[in-house]
Amino acid sequence: MRLTLVIFLVLAAGTAAAQKLSMVKEHNFGKISDKAKVGTDITLRNSGRRTLKIKSVKPGCGCTTGVLEKNVLEPGETTVLTITFDPKGKMSTVRKSITFTSNDVINP
């Protein structure tokens, strides 16, 4: 059995100005087996001029995890978000999301 997984990353804004969370917003794992977990690393950057604080990273369900290397980024700094998906019991095309809460006001 094969399934296709696409991870969407969603941003939720807090309050502050001039900090900006930049990233690849979608990752497509393509066709995968339902037997083994898959994962990827996504680089996040503060492309603004003030300190960016990522307050939370919440996967849409229990089969997806998102672990952030660090949650406070100075201007120009990057961090890595490690995403893991467990496809056990899933079939066909699967879309999962991870929601961020940060003080980026540009990407609500």
Side-chain angles (χ1 to χ4, degrees), residues 20-22 43-48 50-52 54 69-80:
K20 182 177 181 184
L21 180 60
S22 301
T43 301
L44 309 176
R45 172 184 295 280
N46 178 1
S47 58
R50 293 191 182 163
T51 302
L52 175 73
I54 303 171
E69 187 178 58
K70 61 182 177 177
N71 62 349
V72 176
L73 301 175
E74 295 302 322
E77 279 191 318
T78 62
T79 189
V80 174

Side-chain angles (χ1 to χ4, degrees), residues 6 8 31 54-55 62 64 77 82 94 97 100:
V6 179
F8 290 98
K31 292 186 179 194
I54 303 171
K55 298 171 185 172
T64 307
E77 279 191 318
T82 300
V94 177
S97 65
F100 296 84

Side-chain angles (χ1 to χ4, degrees), residues 17 20 23 28 30 32 38 41 49 57 75 77 80 91 94 99:
K20 182 177 181 184
M23 72 181 106
N28 188 339
I32 61 172
V38 293
D41 290 337
R49 295 173 297 189
V57 177
E77 279 191 318
V80 174
M91 296 172 54
V94 177
T99 303

Side-chain angles (χ1 to χ4, degrees), residues 7-11 23-26 42 44 81 83 96-100:
I7 297 282
F8 290 98
L9 304 176
V10 182
L11 302 177
M23 72 181 106
V24 173
K25 294 187 180 181
E26 180 177 310
I42 295 179
L44 309 176
L81 173 67
I83 298 170
K96 297 296 176 181
S97 65
I98 297 177
T99 303
F100 296 84

